[in-house]
Amino acid sequence: MSMRCLLVDDSIRFLEAARSLLERDGIPVVGVALSGAEALVRAAELTPDVVLVDLDLGGESGFDVAVELARSVSAVIILISTHALEDFEELVDGSPARGFLPKSALSARAITELLGNDGRNRPT
């Protein structure tokens, strides 16, 4: 699978760090978005293969953003957060996202493992 990535997070510092990390690992980051509305516009214009969406986008729910993205683009959606999966497991399972990655574990390898994993939420 191709790995052109769009990052969605309300923290500019995280976006910069994640972009640097992923690009160093060989995943091209084609764009970033600070809000759900911006994510929808950027996803439509950039057609990423993977969209990483923070669960907490300031006043917005990353779950709601994931639903809107799933309705409008064909990209694989992965939810990310500083919180543990256990805090949101049922919501992640019920979302259109392929799965979840903690921000502390974000890497090209973790994304690749999650995309290759037949189970929904847990990279190996």
Side-chain angles (χ1 to χ4, degrees):
M1 166 174 216
S2 180
M3 294 285 273
R4 293 168 20 91
C5 184
L6 172 66
L7 299 172
V8 184
D9 197 291
D10 61 334
S11 167
I12 292 172
R13 284 185 55 199
F14 175 78
L15 290 172
E16 290 171 353
R19 174 179 233 155
S20 176
L21 171 82
L22 293 176
E23 289 185 341
R24 189 172 46 244
D25 281 354
I27 294 181
V29 175
V30 296
V32 298
L34 292 164
S35 68
E38 187 179 2
L40 291 168
V41 170
R42 303 291 286 159
E45 68 188 18
L46 298 171
T47 62
D49 303 297
V50 177
V51 183
L52 302 179
V53 180
D54 186 21
L55 291 180
D56 183 14
L57 293 170
E60 292 181 273
S61 163
F63 293 108
D64 292 342
V65 172
V67 168
E68 291 301 315
L69 284 166
R71 288 181 184 151
S72 62
V73 297
S74 62
V76 173
I77 300 162
I78 296 173
L79 296 168
I80 59 174
S81 180
T82 56
H83 300 284
L85 173 62
E86 293 76 30
D87 296 341
F88 302 98
E89 193 161 8
E90 286 185 31
L91 292 171
V92 171
D93 286 344
S95 80
R98 173 75 57 90
F100 171 88
L101 287 174
K103 287 183 178 181
S104 61
L106 187 62
S107 69
R109 181 178 181 168
I111 292 169
T112 302
E113 288 177 359
L114 191 140
L115 293 177
N117 187 357
D118 291 332
R120 280 197 31 102
N121 297 328
R122 294 160 196 83
T124 55

